[in-house]
Amino acid sequence: FCSNVSNLSLLFTRRIGRQPGAGFLASQQGAFTDVPSASTILGAAKVTGRTNAGTSIGVLGALTQREVARVAGPGGTRTNQEVEPFTSYGIARVKQDFRDGDLQIGGMATSVIRNFDDPALEALMNRRSESVGLDAEYWWADRNYHLLFSSAFTNISGSEDAILRALSLIHIS
C-alpha cells in the first residue's frame, strides 16, 4: 500500500514570522492602513542531532514581535492598531530507534504563548496552546509491511470568544 501519512502533524513552522493575523482590524478603523507584511522574528534557536544510540532530538524556540498597523481614519486622524501579539513558540521532539531502525518510538511537545495589549485581538486568538503527542512506526518482513500509530492531546486557552472561534474552525468527520 501507499502511505502518505506523516507522524504527528503538530508543528507548522511557517506560522513563525507569518503575516499578522488581524490586519482586518486596522482596515475596520480607517480607509488607509499600513499593515506589516510579516511578523518580526526577534530571535530563534534550533538544536537538532542524533546520538550513536539512535536517539534523534530536535528543539526549537522563537520569539516574534508585537506588530502594529498604522491607520489613517476619517478627518486625517492617525491611530495604531495591534494586529499580531508578542508571541513565544517552543517545540521539542525526541525519537528513538529500536531493532536496527525497524521500530521507532517518539514524542513531541509544542507550545505557543501570546501576550495581548488589545482586547479586540485577544478575542480573536488563543492566549495559549499546547500539545503533546506520541508516535510509533514499525516495519517488518524485510520492510514490506508497515504499521503507524500516533496520538496527540491538545489544549487551548484564552478568552471565551477566541475559544468559541477556534472550536468553530474544527470539523470532526
Side-chain angles (χ1 to χ4, degrees), residues 16-17 41-45 60-64 86-91 111 113:
I16 301 171
I41 299 174
L42 297 173
L60 176 116
L63 297 173
T64 59
F86 174 83
T87 306
S88 168
Y89 298 87
I91 300 103
S111 173
I113 302 170

Side-chain angles (χ1 to χ4, degrees), residues 1-7 95-105 135-149:
F1 76 97
C2 176
S3 172
N4 61 358
V5 178
S6 65
N7 297 357
K95 200 169 201 179
Q96 176 65 51
D97 286 352
F98 299 97
R99 298 183 178 206
D100 295 323
D102 286 343
L103 173 62
Q104 299 174 338
I105 299 174
D135 65 328
E137 188 170 11
Y138 181 58
W139 293 87
W140 70 95
D142 292 326
R143 291 189 160 269
N144 285 313
Y145 300 98
H146 184 220
L147 178 67
L148 287 172
F149 163 82

Side-chain angles (χ1 to χ4, degrees), residues 59-100:
V59 179
L60 176 116
L63 297 173
T64 59
Q65 175 176 296
R66 179 179 325 280
E67 296 295 342
V68 175
R70 295 181 298 179
V71 180
T77 60
R78 294 184 185 265
T79 60
N80 290 327
Q81 171 64 52
E82 183 179 359
V83 292
E84 187 72 24
F86 174 83
T87 306
S88 168
Y89 298 87
I91 300 103
R93 174 81 162 125
V94 176
K95 200 169 201 179
Q96 176 65 51
D97 286 352
F98 299 97
R99 298 183 178 206
D100 295 323

Side-chain angles (χ1 to χ4, degrees), residues 11 13 44-49 56-62 89-94 108-109:
L11 171 65
T13 57
K46 177 175 82 169
V47 176
T48 61
S56 299
I57 301 168
V59 179
L60 176 116
Y89 298 87
I91 300 103
R93 174 81 162 125
V94 176
M108 183 175 190

